[in-house]
């Protein structure tokens, strides 16, 4: 319950953030910071038990048929990351009021930051791999929106960040699927406790590779490092929280969490050590070339994450303990440096260190805080960064696989650290040393500086007092180490190889800094490929390829759209005829009336092909549909026949609305186009006929069909098998399709509503709807009867032919008839507005689907409803009613759009005086336009 309260508490803070922002504005950060600390205190109450080796767990069923649960687990490693998420989050929230301007979207920023914190907290607490994946993707989405708050300049970096990290999310999804297949469970503790299930399954290599790929994209490792410097376009609180302390650590957490599974695998270790050290050196080198403060810190983060990945790859208890300790230390000093970079930017208007110097006189506290954080970054005694860097060196020296592996790994780690010392000194000297360039700057308000100062002070205090952190670090390392006991963490190791490496790092770093002028000139002369630009070129190439591939589809010609699938059908028929043989004997399923319908179909199709009249062609095509509906009725499929018949009716309505803009005579097709089209049509018809002949009457009723016919009434209470399949057995499919329809209806209604508000009738335009007396009188009788029939079909759908879709088609025909006679501005038109119908249907279907989850059942499980059950109304009927409303909303939107096409034509200017409205145009004209449609 403790873990659920923590997540719910964070979610409550996210919901409250916009409300608080309305009253408090940018000062909303202060109560949110207090809320973060309260949630941290709640979780800290379990710290003694967790450090003693126990775990805090909570679990609820989510997808019981798949064995997936909403499981949460607080152990040592999760506790460290919870502390980082909530502790650094509280500091950033307290920093935001000083950073954000009055014109900033405070509610949006605080909402997204808190939603991200909630997602990150859920990620590290997740005890089910499916749940872990869900929270992983939520952090990606939050990051994208937070980067996008920077405006138009953020479009490119936000897209890069989203595409790269989402690609990693797909890799993680594939890994989760394979893990579930290999281990037979989604429970993370079971998977890690029984590694042989995965390692001996044959899927270990793909799973490990996918996990490494996911971690590398999230934690900005080569070759995916470019998205992180680009994301620095986001506001400084976002950079300090997501892109230095938390989100980029999600990949580190993933690798740590799965270390018990793969730490002893040579491929895992080699990949992580190789990628990590290459990234560490490259990132530090690129940071040394940068002049923008946030750019330096971004590449620095890439480098430090590389060191963490490499030491995780070593996989020993000492190395994993070093990874945990440095993760914590890095969160403190890097968040501090980002916050201070934001302060410098706010005070001076620039982040370019070539334009910053001498500010220590005007901003001594800011300068001192920056020095402390930079010393920790550089690994200088007595900072916490010094202790964690010592343990990193100790861990890298333990790299195995070859006699030279440890020394080489240590050498590359030292190289990265030397470069780190040099750019850390460059940050301090460039911003605060030298002659004064900004005489007008002053120390920021104490409340603005305090969060960074607290983090820097913790780095100074916890260095000598690092043993205070030892229980937490040892507990976390014990959870991720496959074997052995992790060492206690303490400040002084005496004279040791790692101390010598620290001294060497400082000496060489000072040499680099002393020769900074020639080093800078040499680095700036280097022309290195821009990974971000290479990614954009690849992205643009994929878009261009898609443009070429989709080119044939961007045409208004039906022939272009129909030709390819018909050619494929003919080709499939030819292949099937050649390859398929020895079919079972065919039962005699023909009836005399079938041949009568087939003969009538042949005559009607030929007439439709040969006629030159538009109205005749449309009528004959409609007759074709009605004959096919008759054929279905003869075959014993009344639901399908009724649906098809109603579709033909709606097609006729659409034809009436569309034919106003179509000439009365069809344009004659040239022979060179007609002959190939006819040949293709005949070939497709023959292929379809052969397929029907091959698949009809050659087998007994399938086991699935037998189950539906014999078990439907017992399991669902309904006797209409078709309807029960739609709303009971395949309800999720129906829900997905209905949501698509509803979304389309809402979109169409939105366009219509906006266009109607913008439309200004031209002078002389007829204001009324042209009335037909006979049609109007008929509609007054037919429309109520059609709605009554619609309600009847909806009610009986579970037991007799009918249901939500068929009933909606009848009601849609009634709406169409009403609009044809009286227009949309009637009582019926107002009651059947598309947005209201689709919105109500969407809410109803989703609510009925989610209702069983309240009772602990699976989504969409049929349940009895109090009171309504006595009237014979169950959840399936209400679900069908929601489908009815969604379909009817789409039909209403379509009819309105076709009846009044000018509503959706936003760019059209009102016509000149005397121009008649579309409602006043004749349905069919004998005039042939200059350009056929």
């Amino acid at each position: 319950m403790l873990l659920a309260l923590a997540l719910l508490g964070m979610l409550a803070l996210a919901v409250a953030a916009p409300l608080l922002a309305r009253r408090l504005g940018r000062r909303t950060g202060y109560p949110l910071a207090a809320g973060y600390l309260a949630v941290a205190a709640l979780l800290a109450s379990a710290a003694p038990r967790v450090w003693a080796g126990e775990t805090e767990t909570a679990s609820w069923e989510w997808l019981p048929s798949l064995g997936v649960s909403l499981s949460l687990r607080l152990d040592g490693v999760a506790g460290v990351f919870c502390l980082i998420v909530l502790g650094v989050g509280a500091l950033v929230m307290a920093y935001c009021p000083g950073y954000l301007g009055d014109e900033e979207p405070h509610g949006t920023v605080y909402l997204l930051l808190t939603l991200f914190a909630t997602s990150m907290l859920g990620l590290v607490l997740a005890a089910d791999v499916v749940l872990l994946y869900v929270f992983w993707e939520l952090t990606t989405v939050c990051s994208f929106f937070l980067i996008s708050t920077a405006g138009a300049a953020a479009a490119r970096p936000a897209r890069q960040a989203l595409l790269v990290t989402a690609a990693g999310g797909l890799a993680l999804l594939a890994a989760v699927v394979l893990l579930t297949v290999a281990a037979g469970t989604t429970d993370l503790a079971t998977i890690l406790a029984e590694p042989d299930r995965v390692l001996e399954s044959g899927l270990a290599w793909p799973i490990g590779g996918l996990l490494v790929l996911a971690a590398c994209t999230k934690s900005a490792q080569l070759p995916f490092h470019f998205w992180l410097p680009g994301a620095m376009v986001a506001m400084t609180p976002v950079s300090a929280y997501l892109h230095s302390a938390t989100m980029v650590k999600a990949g580190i957490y993933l690798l740590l969490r799965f270390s018990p599974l793969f730490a002893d695998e040579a491929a895992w270790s080699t990949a992580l050590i190789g990628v990590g050290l290459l990234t560490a050196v490259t990132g530090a080198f690129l940071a040394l070339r940068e002049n923008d403060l946030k750019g330096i810190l971004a590449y620095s983060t890439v480098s430090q994450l590389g060191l963490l990945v490499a030491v995780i790859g070593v996989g020993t208890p000492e190395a994993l303990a070093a990874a945990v300790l440095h993760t914590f230390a890095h969160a403190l000093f890097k968040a501090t440096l980002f916050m201070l970079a934001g302060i410098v930017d706010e005070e001076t208007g620039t982040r370019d260190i070539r334009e910053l110097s001498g500010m220590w006189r005007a901003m001594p506290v800011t300068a001192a805080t920056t020095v402390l954080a930079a010393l920790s970054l550089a690994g200088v005694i007595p900072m916490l960064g010094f202790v964690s860097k010592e343990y990193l060196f100790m861990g890298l020296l333990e790299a195995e696989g070859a006699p030279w592996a440890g020394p080489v790994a240590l050498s590359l780690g030292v190289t990265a650290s030397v470069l780190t010392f040099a750019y850390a000194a460059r940050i301090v000297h460039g911003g605060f040393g030298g002659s004064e360039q900004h005489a007008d700057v002053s120390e920021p308000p104490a409340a603005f500086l305090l969060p960074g100062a607290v983090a820097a002070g913790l780095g100074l205090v916890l260095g000598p007092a690092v043993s205070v952190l030892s229980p937490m670090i040892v507990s976390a390392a014990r959870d991720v180490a496959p074997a052995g006991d992790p060492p206690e963490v303490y400040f002084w190791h005496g004279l040791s190889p790692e101390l010598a490496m620290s001294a060497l790092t400082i000496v060489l770093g000072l040499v680099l800094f002393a020769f900074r002028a020639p080093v800078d000139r040499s680095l700036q002369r280097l022309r290195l490929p821009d990974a971000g630009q290479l990614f954009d070129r690849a992205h643009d190439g994929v878009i261009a390829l898609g443009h070429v591939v989709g080119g044939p589809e961007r045409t208004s010609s039906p022939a272009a759209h129909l030709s390819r699938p018909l050619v494929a059908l003919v080709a499939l028929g030819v292949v099937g005829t050649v390859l398929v043989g020895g079919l079972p004997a065919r039962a005699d399923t023909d009836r005399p009336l079938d041949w009568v319908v087939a003969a009538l179909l042949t005559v009607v199709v030929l007439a439709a092909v040969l006629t030159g009249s538009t109205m005749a062609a449309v009528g004959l095509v409609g007759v074709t549909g009605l004959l096919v509906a008759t054929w279905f009725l003869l075959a014993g499929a009344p639901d399908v026949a009724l649906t098809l018949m109603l579709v033909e009716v709606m097609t006729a309505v659409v034809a009436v609305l569309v034919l106003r803009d179509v000439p009365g005579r069809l344009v004659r097709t040239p022979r060179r186009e007609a002959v190939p089209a006819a040949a293709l049509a005949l070939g497709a018809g023959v292929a379809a006929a052969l397929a029907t002949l091959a698949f009809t009457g050659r087998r007994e009723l399938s086991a699935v069909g037998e189950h539906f016919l014999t078990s439907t009434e017992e399991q669902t209470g309904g006797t209409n098998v078709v309807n029960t399949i739609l709303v009971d057995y395949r309800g999720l499919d129906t829900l997905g399709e209905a949501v698509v329809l509803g979304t389309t209806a809402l979109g169409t209604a939105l366009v219509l509503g906006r266009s109607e508000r913008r439309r200004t009738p031209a002078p002389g335009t007829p204001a009324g709807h042209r009335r037909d007396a006979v049609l109007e009188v008929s509609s007054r009788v037919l429309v109520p009867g059609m709605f009554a029939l619609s309600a009847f079909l909806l009610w009986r759908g579970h037991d007799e032919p009918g249901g939500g879709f068929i009933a909606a088609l009848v009601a849609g025909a009634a709406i169409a008839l009403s609009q044809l006679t009286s227009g949309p501005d009637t009582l019926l038109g107002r009651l059947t507005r598309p947005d209201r119908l689709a919105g109500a249907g969407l809410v109803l279907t989703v609510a009925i689907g989610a209702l069983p989850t309240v009772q602990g059942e699976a989504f969409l499980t049929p349940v009895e409803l109090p009171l309504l059950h006595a009237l014979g109304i169950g959840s399936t009927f209400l679900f069908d009613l929601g489908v009815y409303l969604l379909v009817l909303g789409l039909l209403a939107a379509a009819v309105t759009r076709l009846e009044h096409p000018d509503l959706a034509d936003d760019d059209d200017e009102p016509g000149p005086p005397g121009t008649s409205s579309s409602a006043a145009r004749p349905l069919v004209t004998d005039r042939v336009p200059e350009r056929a449609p």
Side-chain angles (χ1 to χ4, degrees):
M1 198 61 184
L2 178 74
L3 305 183
L5 286 176
L7 276 180
L8 291 175
M10 292 301 298
L11 192 59
L13 289 175
V15 173
L19 303 177
L20 290 172
R22 293 180 184 178
R23 296 292 302 272
L24 301 177
R26 60 183 181 179
R27 294 190 301 275
T28 303
Y30 296 130
L32 288 179
Y36 281 45
L37 292 177
V39 175
L42 179 67
L43 293 176
S45 64
R49 297 191 300 275
V50 171
W51 293 348
E54 300 178 13
T55 57
E56 194 79 24
T57 60
S59 182
W60 301 268
E61 280 193 352
W62 182 18
L63 302 172
S65 60
L66 298 177
V68 179
S69 61
L70 294 173
S71 300
L72 304 174
R73 184 170 182 263
L74 177 64
D75 60 1
V77 68
V80 172
F81 282 88
C82 286
L83 179 60
I84 293 173
V85 169
L86 296 171
V88 176
L91 293 174
V92 171
M93 289 298 108
Y95 173 83
C96 282
Y99 181 87
L100 296 176
D102 292 330
E103 72 286 353
E104 300 282 354
H106 307 118
T108 301
V109 171
Y110 284 123
L111 169 65
L112 290 173
L113 282 171
T114 308
L115 281 177
F116 167 79
T118 306
S119 303
M120 194 70 197
L121 194 65
L123 190 156
V124 300
L125 290 175
D128 187 287
V129 290
V130 175
L131 186 63
L132 184 149
Y133 166 74
V134 171
F135 281 121
W136 178 282
E137 290 295 75
L138 286 176
T139 62
T140 295
V141 173
C142 290
S143 170
F144 170 74
F145 283 119
L146 282 166
I147 297 172
S148 300
T149 57
R156 173 178 172 268
R159 184 186 68 231
Q160 285 185 351
L162 178 65
L163 292 176
V164 173
T165 53
L170 291 176
L172 179 59
L173 175 60
V176 166
V177 172
L178 294 180
L179 267 172
T180 305
V181 171
T185 180
T186 61
D187 182 68
L188 185 58
T190 303
I191 293 172
L192 298 178
E194 303 176 17
D196 290 342
R197 286 193 187 184
V198 176
L199 298 179
E200 297 176 0
S201 67
L203 297 175
W205 277 58
I207 292 170
L210 290 167
L211 290 173
V212 170
L213 177 59
C216 286
T217 56
K218 202 78 159 185
S219 293
Q221 298 297 284
L222 287 175
F224 309 107
H225 64 288
F226 56 87
W227 75 262
L228 185 57
M232 293 302 110
V233 70
M235 61 179 64
T236 298
V238 174
S239 301
Y241 192 33
L242 275 71
H243 302 139
S244 69
T246 53
M247 175 183 160
V248 291
K249 300 287 176 55
I252 302 302
Y253 171 78
L254 187 72
L255 296 176
L256 281 170
R257 182 55 83 187
F258 283 95
S259 284
L261 200 60
F262 294 106
D264 292 332
E265 300 298 311
W268 170 273
S269 298
T270 302
L272 293 187
I273 294 173
V275 170
L277 289 175
L278 182 60
T279 303
V281 174
T282 303
F285 175 80
L286 294 175
L288 198 57
R289 295 179 75 240
E290 271 290 330
N291 295 306
D292 179 84
L293 274 177
K294 285 183 71 174
I296 296 172
L297 296 177
Y299 282 115
S300 169
T301 301
V302 170
S303 176
Q304 296 297 303
L305 292 172
L307 287 175
L308 288 172
V309 169
V311 79
I312 292 171
V314 174
T316 62
E318 292 78 9
L320 294 172
V324 174
L325 178 60
H326 194 65
T327 298
F328 181 80
H330 178 264
L332 287 178
F333 64 67
K334 192 56 63 66
T336 301
L337 288 170
F338 268 110
M339 288 189 278
L340 295 173
I343 290 174
V344 170
D345 190 17
E346 288 286 302
E347 295 297 324
T348 64
T350 182
R351 300 193 306 255
D352 193 325
I353 60 173
R354 293 170 298 187
E355 301 173 7
L356 299 170
S357 64
M359 291 192 300
W360 67 272
R361 297 177 179 86
M363 305 171 67
V365 179
T366 303
T369 306
T370 304
V371 168
L372 287 178
L375 288 174
S376 194
L377 168 64
V380 177
I381 197 169
M383 307 302 297
L384 181 61
F386 162 76
V387 183
S388 64
K389 193 69 65 67
E390 292 260 289
Y391 277 94
L392 284 181
F393 289 158
M394 186 188 305
L396 290 174
L397 191 58
E398 293 181 343
E400 299 177 349
W404 43 265
V408 169
L410 179 59
S411 300
L412 291 173
V414 170
T415 301
S417 299
V418 169
L419 297 173
T420 298
F421 186 98
Y423 66 69
R426 195 163 173 254
I427 290 173
V428 174
H429 181 269
F432 300 96
S435 60
E436 189 173 12
Q437 293 192 36
H438 297 271
D440 56 339
V441 301
S442 61
E443 199 76 78
F448 192 18
L449 182 58
L450 184 61
V454 168
L458 286 174
L460 173 62
V461 172
L462 290 176
V466 70
S467 56
V468 173
L469 300 177
S470 188
M472 179 180 72
I473 302 301
V474 170
S475 172
R478 188 188 301 117
D479 288 332
V480 298
D485 294 324
E488 296 288 332
V489 179
Y490 49 93
F491 176 68
W492 180 250
H493 299 167
L495 299 177
S496 60
E498 50 270 17
L499 180 63
M501 293 301 102
S502 293
L504 180 63
T505 297
I506 294 173
V507 170
L508 294 179
L510 287 172
V511 170
L512 270 180
F513 177 70
F515 291 93
R516 58 187 176 277
V519 169
D520 283 350
R521 287 194 297 269
S522 300
L523 292 176
Q524 296 305 322
R525 282 197 295 266
L526 291 175
R527 292 293 177 263
L528 301 176
D530 188 327
Q533 288 185 359
L534 293 176
F535 177 85
D536 284 338
R537 290 178 186 174
H539 176 265
D540 293 341
V542 172
I543 298 298
L545 177 62
H547 185 83
V548 172
V549 172
E553 308 300 332
R554 291 189 299 275
T555 176
S556 59
S557 170
H561 290 281
L562 290 173
S563 58
R564 283 178 294 280
L566 291 180
V567 168
L569 179 61
V570 172
L572 190 61
V574 172
V575 172
T577 303
V578 173
L579 298 181
V580 176
L583 292 172
R586 183 175 181 274
D588 185 11
T589 59
D590 302 335
R591 291 172 296 272
L593 285 177
D594 291 341
W595 293 104
V596 174
V597 175
L600 291 174
L601 274 173
T602 303
V603 173
V604 173
V605 169
L606 285 174
V609 170
L610 297 175
T611 186
S613 168
T614 302
M615 287 292 289
V618 172
L620 289 167
V621 171
V623 171
T624 302
L626 293 175
L627 285 171
V628 174
T630 303
W631 209 342
F632 279 125
L633 187 61
L634 294 174
D639 281 273
V640 181
L642 185 57
T643 302
L644 183 55
M645 182 181 69
L646 292 170
V647 168
E648 291 300 331
V649 171
M650 290 302 301
T651 303
V653 173
V654 170
V656 169
L657 297 172
V658 171
L659 284 179
R660 290 174 296 188
D661 298 321
V662 175
R665 303 292 299 177
L666 295 171
V667 179
R668 184 178 295 277
T669 305
R671 183 179 296 273
R672 66 178 182 276
E673 297 177 8
V675 172
L680 182 58
L682 287 172
V686 170
L690 290 175
T692 304
L693 181 64
F695 295 132
T696 304
R698 298 186 187 275
R699 64 180 178 86
E700 298 295 330
L701 183 64
S702 68
V704 175
E706 182 70 26
H707 170 77
F708 284 141
L709 290 175
T710 58
S711 305
T712 291
E713 184 173 4
E714 177 185 352
Q715 294 180 348
T716 68
T719 56
N720 181 359
V721 176
V722 174
N723 183 264
T724 56
I725 289 174
L726 292 175
V727 300
D728 291 285
Y729 293 109
R730 303 295 296 275
L732 188 59
D733 289 349
T734 303
L735 176 61
E737 294 161 1
V739 167
V740 172
L741 294 177
T743 304
T744 305
L746 288 172
T748 305
L750 177 64
V751 172
L752 291 173
R754 185 178 66 244
S755 303
E756 189 171 13
R757 289 191 297 271
R758 293 175 57 181
R759 186 179 58 157
T760 303
T765 301
H769 193 92
R770 191 180 66 168
R771 296 176 180 273
D772 185 299
V774 175
L775 192 59
E776 186 172 354
V777 172
S778 301
S779 69
R780 290 180 179 178
V781 177
L782 292 175
V783 169
M786 294 170 73
F787 272 105
L789 176 61
S790 172
F792 173 69
L793 290 172
L794 174 63
W795 178 260
R796 66 178 288 188
H798 213 226
D799 296 301
E800 300 290 343
F805 185 77
I806 291 175
L809 290 175
V810 174
I815 292 174
L817 180 59
S818 174
Q819 291 208 20
L820 282 172
T821 56
S822 306
D825 298 325
T826 63
L827 176 61
L828 178 62
R830 290 190 291 273
L831 292 176
T832 57
R833 279 179 47 181
D835 53 345
R836 293 177 179 174
L837 291 171
L842 194 60
V843 171
L844 183 59
T845 51
V846 174
I848 291 299
L851 180 61
T853 62
V854 178
Q855 303 176 6
E857 300 288 343
F859 187 75
L860 278 174
T861 301
V863 294
E864 292 185 1
L865 303 173
L867 301 179
L868 294 178
H869 178 67
L871 301 176
I873 298 176
S875 61
T876 53
F877 174 79
L878 294 181
F879 179 79
D880 211 13
L881 176 61
V883 173
Y884 171 88
L885 294 173
L886 285 167
V887 175
L888 186 58
L890 177 61
L891 293 174
V895 168
T896 303
R897 169 67 180 87
L898 292 169
E899 171 66 4
H900 301 278
D902 54 316
L903 286 181
D905 200 0
D906 287 344
D907 296 328
D908 286 354
E909 295 295 329
T915 303
S916 61
S917 69
S918 62
R921 291 196 298 269
L923 295 182
V924 179
T925 176
D926 290 327
R927 176 180 60 83
V928 178
E930 295 180 3
R931 184 181 65 181

